[in-house]
Amino acid sequence: MTKTSLPLAVSFLLLLISSAAAVDTGRLFLTVVNNCPFTVWPAIQPNAGHPVLEKGGFALPTFTHRSFFPPTTHWSGRIWARTGCFHYNGKFTCVTGDCGNRLECNGLGGATPASLAQFDLHHGGHSDFSSYGVSLVDGFNVPMTVTPHEGHGVCPVVGCREDLLKTCPAHLQVHGHGGHVVGCKSGCEAFHTDELCCRNHYNSPNTCRASSHSLFFKHACPSTFTFAHDSPSLMHDCSSPRELKVIFCH
């Protein structure tokens, strides 16, 4: 290669890199933010048929964030925070949200109670929209919101900013080491009845109803799902957002 052709080759390479970066900057990305005064271990579980993102879990120290891309077509799944995690006897264990004693959940679900962010992301053609919501159907472990950026249409910030560990009724409390409240169970998890769990005869919009237990969550955080057949309008369709940000302890 001659001396005169080297700068041209370098310039062409830089142009390719910048073009690729420009394409990436146009993609929707997810950001997980930890505003809690302690480390959390976010977990990501795809719905059936969708790929695992970020190996399904990682550590996120206080006041840090991590961004990543979902697939460019369709992806749906959920994100939650694990708390109080530690290594013991060769196992990784979390006080809340544990996914089978693993740091990287790799598609496994988490133990309840846990606050959940739910996503159904569509891209391409005439279906470039993102559905999202926050669910306390499986209980609560940390405050959580979902914040869209640069979307169009109905794109509200949703979730639960309240620390419900402070007000959780005694019969729903989960205690960790030292007796501290680390989670707030759903009525289903506390009592395991078909009615509270919306199972069998109660598994329909007509028979699955709010309970005094779900109303505790609903009154504190009205924009969240609090029982299995809660209003579908709590799932929001935002057109072409640039970013969806999950914030713990917002």
Side-chain angles (χ1 to χ4, degrees), residues 120-142:
D120 192 10
L121 313 177
H122 296 263
H123 302 285
H126 300 289
S127 60
D128 192 358
F129 67 91
S130 298
S131 295
Y132 61 93
V134 171
S135 172
L136 303 182
V137 173
D138 291 332
F140 173 96
N141 64 340
V142 295

Side-chain angles (χ1 to χ4, degrees), residues 4-236:
T4 56
S5 64
L6 182 60
L8 290 175
V10 172
S11 298
F12 181 70
L13 180 60
L14 291 174
L15 178 61
L16 287 177
I17 294 172
S18 63
S19 297
V23 171
D24 273 349
T25 56
R27 288 178 57 186
L28 167 69
F29 61 97
L30 300 173
T31 298
V32 182
V33 181
N34 181 16
N35 279 348
C36 302
F38 47 82
T39 297
V40 299
W41 288 260
I44 307 166
Q45 182 189 29
N47 290 340
H50 296 273
V52 174
L53 307 182
E54 302 296 291
K55 299 182 179 179
F58 48 87
L60 195 64
T62 184
F63 305 128
T64 63
H65 70 276
R66 180 162 170 170
S67 297
F68 48 92
F69 292 114
T72 54
T73 52
H74 177 213
W75 186 85
S76 64
R78 51 178 52 185
I79 297 175
W80 69 96
R82 294 169 289 171
T83 63
C85 302
F86 58 95
H87 289 274
Y88 180 73
N89 284 345
K91 289 186 176 181
F92 180 80
T93 303
C94 299
V95 174
T96 68
D98 191 80
C99 64
N101 302 121
R102 299 182 180 190
L103 171 60
E104 297 171 344
C105 298
N106 285 315
L108 293 179
T112 57
S115 319
L116 298 173
Q118 301 175 317
F119 298 96
D120 192 10
L121 313 177
H122 296 263
H123 302 285
H126 300 289
S127 60
D128 192 358
F129 67 91
S130 298
S131 295
Y132 61 93
V134 171
S135 172
L136 303 182
V137 173
D138 291 332
F140 173 96
N141 64 340
V142 295
M144 165 194 279
T145 61
V146 177
T147 301
H149 290 284
E150 300 181 26
H152 307 284
V154 182
C155 305
V157 176
V158 298
C160 186
R161 297 173 186 256
E162 300 295 323
D163 184 359
L164 301 186
L165 301 184
K166 297 178 179 178
T167 55
C168 183
H171 61 280
L172 300 180
Q173 293 177 2
V174 176
H175 297 272
H177 304 294
H180 300 292
V181 178
V182 296
C184 192
K185 293 185 286 188
S186 66
C188 171
E189 185 180 359
F191 299 104
H192 304 287
T193 67
D194 284 356
E195 184 174 6
L196 291 175
C197 296
C198 293
R199 292 187 303 238
N200 300 322
H201 169 72
Y202 296 96
N203 187 20
S204 79
N206 294 326
T207 56
C208 175
R209 300 294 186 183
S211 67
S212 60
H213 314 293
S214 69
L215 288 174
F216 161 73
F217 296 106
K218 180 65 73 176
H219 289 155
C221 302
S223 70
T224 63
F225 291 91
T226 59
F227 62 99
H229 287 280
D230 208 344
S231 172
S233 65
L234 295 169
M235 199 76 176
H236 298 280

